[in-house]
Amino acid sequence: MTSPDRTVWTRSLAMQLSRFAETEAASSIVLIGAIAAALVWINAAPGSYDDAWGTELGIRLGSLDVELSLREWVTQGLMPLFFLVVGLEARREFDLGTLRERRQLIVPFTAGLAGMVLPILIFLAFNLHSGGAHGWGAAMSTDTALALGLLAAVSRRLPEQVRTFLVTVFIVDDLVALVVIAVVYSSDVRVLPLVAGIVCFALFAGLMRWTRTPGALLLVVGVASWAFVRASGIDPIVVGLAIGLVAPAYTPGREQLEHASGIFRSFREQPTSRLAQLAATTLVGTTSPNERLQTRLHPWTSFVIVPLFALANAGVRIDGSFARAALASPIVIGIVVAYVVGKPVAVIGSTALLARLSGGRLRPPVGWNAVAGSGTIAGVGFTVAVLVATLAFTGPVLGEAKIALLAGSAISTGLTWLVVQGTARLPEQRRVRALLGDAQDGVDLVPPVDAARDHIRGSASAVVTVVEYGDFECPHCGRAEHSVRELVAAEDVRFVWRHLPLSEVHPHAALAAEASEIAGRAGRFWELHDLMLADQGRLAQAELIGSLERLGVAAELAEDELQRHVHRARVEDDIASADLSGASGTPTFFINGQRHYGAYDAASLKEAVRLARDQVRATATGGPRRR
């Protein structure tokens, strides 16, 4: 059940990233357990392990026949769903996240690309003449899920900006890695099945983008695309990634929400099965395909598919002879050094070089300690790396590559722990700057707060400004008011109210907003604001006039201005600014110009304000910033 203190129709980059990190923190335990179980299983009963995952399973439809081992069904059949989620995350970044400002892509793209190129070069330096050079792809890719989970284990209170930077770097890593798999590690490509797969994918993308095709039909087209691409000789995991990339992410518009509310009201007045189905379809249709797919698939990929992949592929039989060979193997040395040394050096070095060459115009959105931690945790490689290793190696060499990946991940996690512990011991001011840097994020609020126009409560010199788009009849706004009061009590926070009456849902909201403007002209805006939110059942015109009269506004004047809607234009200006800022529901909060998503209880808002305050302090102590 959704908490009443959450906007049920909105999910943003910040909220998704928070939920994403929390899910990976939990699923990483399952993943590590699956890796341990595979190692125990194969060493305790190697015949049983190999027989189980080598079991052949086939599907036959007329003349069409697909027969794969159980391990191949997991790798080729289920893992495309994992990479579909990766594609969804990437598309969300482009549509709603920091990458919607394309200039912001340069730093994480450079870091992600360098974090792949340098490890590859290191691996080749050890293996160029050893016969294992063709496996260079196993040394390049970070495991996003495991890295975020292990990061959450070593540091539970990292600012959201750090996780945002990490996810962006890792997305670049994942995208490039899958292109490498498709181009380098696919052989004997057959043209006709590939063309058929591309046609099916194009059909899928068109149906998703321009129609409201039932999910069952989309599933059929998507599976057909997977089957044709697999038949062409290209690893079908790229189909999952491609589908994720074409699933748009957006927040619902105000008109969509009002239409959905109208359908629901019709159902409430006449609860028929037809209207129930229409209401359900309309409500689901207000959310983006990206969000719907991610909500359904993410738990399955995190807690079932990736652990199954680990259980099927992490098994390595270890004995004395294997251990001695692995310690001297250039494959093992190359992979471990590539991840433990190459990843952090590449991420830190490329980011610093880019900042220097651009004269500070292109700099990371986080502090340098956070960049360092991003580089060390990027040395955690498993899922894609093991996938490449299974394509490049066989026999004992494959086992050596898997052990190297596990060892590199363990060492990289330890290095990240050292960075986190060192940062935690810095004085508060230096620690904040080390994590957040002195870069400023983009502004979502349009137009910015204007002291001559906006209704402002709190000190004019406050370092944090909280803007709420609200509706006086909205019960969620009434509940949020208690949280806002606690914020305003702080000396360094000021609060701004802007109108967003949802007239389709709350019939008295627009008139209440106009009444508040009448009170505002008399210098009593906040008194009426508090009265209306405290008693939201007394917003009829007569009751509004009575409240205005008690605040010193003549009843005749109040009635005349309400009837003539003198202040409607002022309220509509706020509604227009809400549309420009992407606010479609109430309450919607902006903190220092950036939209706050998710919970709006006192604790969540205070934490968001604290981060905003830290960001301001970090920017202020960082000296002049070149743009």
Side-chain angles (χ1 to χ4, degrees), residues 20 24 31 71-92 116 137 140-146 170-182 201 204 226 234-247 290 293-294 297-302 304-307 309-310 313 381-391:
F20 186 76
E24 300 306 334
L31 177 55
R71 179 181 287 113
E72 289 173 328
W73 275 115
V74 172
T75 303
Q76 298 183 17
L78 294 181
M79 285 302 287
L81 296 177
F82 168 75
F83 291 106
L84 192 157
V85 173
V86 172
L88 293 172
E89 287 289 336
R91 180 59 186 261
R92 180 178 295 278
M116 302 180 78
M140 66 181 178
S141 183
T142 298
D143 188 318
T144 303
L146 187 57
F170 293 167
I171 283 173
V172 173
D173 185 300
D174 286 334
L175 296 181
V176 175
L178 293 195
V179 171
V180 169
I181 291 174
F201 171 73
F204 181 97
W226 172 88
I234 294 177
D235 197 305
I237 61 173
V238 298
V239 175
L241 177 70
I243 288 174
L245 289 174
V246 299
N290 188 291
L293 283 171
Q294 184 140 205
L297 294 178
H298 198 245
W300 286 99
T301 59
S302 297
V304 178
I305 293 175
V306 173
F309 174 82
N313 291 278
F382 182 76
T383 305
V384 177
V386 168
L387 189 61
V388 175
T390 58
L391 297 172

Side-chain angles (χ1 to χ4, degrees), residues 19 70 83 85 92 150 166 196-197 213 215 223 265 288 312 331 359 381 504 514 532 560 579 581 624:
R19 189 177 66 181
L70 185 56
F83 291 106
V85 173
R92 180 178 295 278
L150 292 172
L166 272 169
T213 304
V223 170
R265 282 200 309 276
S288 69
I331 298 289
E504 292 292 321
E514 294 179 32
M532 290 191 294
D560 176 65
D579 290 339
S581 304

Side-chain angles (χ1 to χ4, degrees), residues 101 103-104 106 354-355 357-365 438-444 594 615 619 622-627:
E101 299 179 22
R103 182 173 174 269
Q104 298 296 326
I106 298 174
L354 195 60
L357 292 178
S358 67
R361 290 186 296 274
L362 296 174
R363 60 197 312 170
D438 57 4
Q440 295 177 329
D441 294 326
V443 174
D444 300 316
Q594 290 184 295
Q615 183 73 62
T619 304
R625 178 171 177 256
R626 297 180 65 178
R627 297 185 66 87

Side-chain angles (χ1 to χ4, degrees), residues 67-369:
E67 187 169 341
L68 302 171
S69 69
L70 185 56
R71 179 181 287 113
E72 289 173 328
W73 275 115
V74 172
T75 303
Q76 298 183 17
L78 294 181
M79 285 302 287
L81 296 177
F82 168 75
F83 291 106
L84 192 157
V85 173
V86 172
L88 293 172
E89 287 289 336
R91 180 59 186 261
R92 180 178 295 278
E93 283 283 344
F94 276 96
D95 289 346
L96 298 177
T98 54
L99 300 186
R100 70 186 187 278
E101 299 179 22
R102 297 301 182 245
R103 182 173 174 269
Q104 298 296 326
L105 176 62
I106 298 174
V107 173
F109 179 82
T110 302
L113 196 59
M116 302 180 78
V117 173
L118 182 58
I120 290 171
L121 294 177
I122 290 174
F123 177 85
L124 290 174
F126 285 97
N127 290 276
L128 194 58
H129 303 294
S130 69
H134 63 287
W136 55 266
M140 66 181 178
S141 183
T142 298
D143 188 318
T144 303
L146 187 57
L148 286 175
L150 292 172
L151 179 65
V154 301
S155 178
R156 298 182 181 277
R157 290 185 59 83
L158 278 181
E160 198 64 55
Q161 294 94 321
V162 177
R163 289 191 177 91
T164 301
F165 178 71
L166 272 169
V167 170
T168 308
V169 172
F170 293 167
I171 283 173
V172 173
D173 185 300
D174 286 334
L175 296 181
V176 175
L178 293 195
V179 171
V180 169
I181 291 174
V183 174
V184 177
Y185 292 100
S186 297
S187 58
D188 299 326
V189 176
R190 291 178 285 279
V191 176
L192 287 180
L194 179 59
V195 171
I198 293 173
V199 170
C200 287
F201 171 73
L203 177 61
F204 181 97
L207 291 174
M208 176 177 284
R209 178 67 178 84
W210 289 296
T211 71
R212 291 190 175 183
T213 304
L217 179 57
L218 289 175
L219 177 63
V220 170
V221 178
V223 170
S225 180
W226 172 88
F228 281 121
V229 169
R230 181 187 172 278
S232 74
I234 294 177
D235 197 305
I237 61 173
V238 298
V239 175
L241 177 70
I243 288 174
L245 289 174
V246 299
Y250 52 80
T251 55
R254 185 164 50 87
E255 292 183 358
Q256 284 182 289
L257 294 175
E258 289 176 351
H259 175 67
S261 299
I263 297 294
F264 180 76
R265 282 200 309 276
S266 298
F267 168 72
R268 187 172 183 179
E269 294 167 358
Q270 189 179 6
T272 64
S273 59
R274 185 185 66 81
L275 284 176
Q277 184 177 8
L278 180 60
T281 302
T282 304
L283 288 172
V284 170
T286 61
T287 57
S288 69
N290 188 291
E291 181 179 357
R292 294 198 297 272
L293 283 171
Q294 184 140 205
T295 300
R296 293 172 183 172
L297 294 178
H298 198 245
W300 286 99
T301 59
S302 297
F303 290 100
V304 178
I305 293 175
V306 173
L308 268 178
F309 174 82
L311 188 62
N313 291 278
V316 180
R317 191 174 182 184
I318 302 173
D319 53 27
S321 60
F322 175 83
R324 287 190 295 273
L327 288 174
S329 168
I331 298 289
V332 173
I333 297 172
I335 289 177
V336 171
V337 176
Y339 277 101
V340 173
V341 178
K343 284 284 186 178
V345 169
V347 171
I348 299 168
S350 63
T351 304
L353 182 62
L354 195 60
R356 183 176 182 83
L357 292 178
S358 67
R361 290 186 296 274
L362 296 174
R363 60 197 312 170
V366 293
W368 288 107
N369 283 43

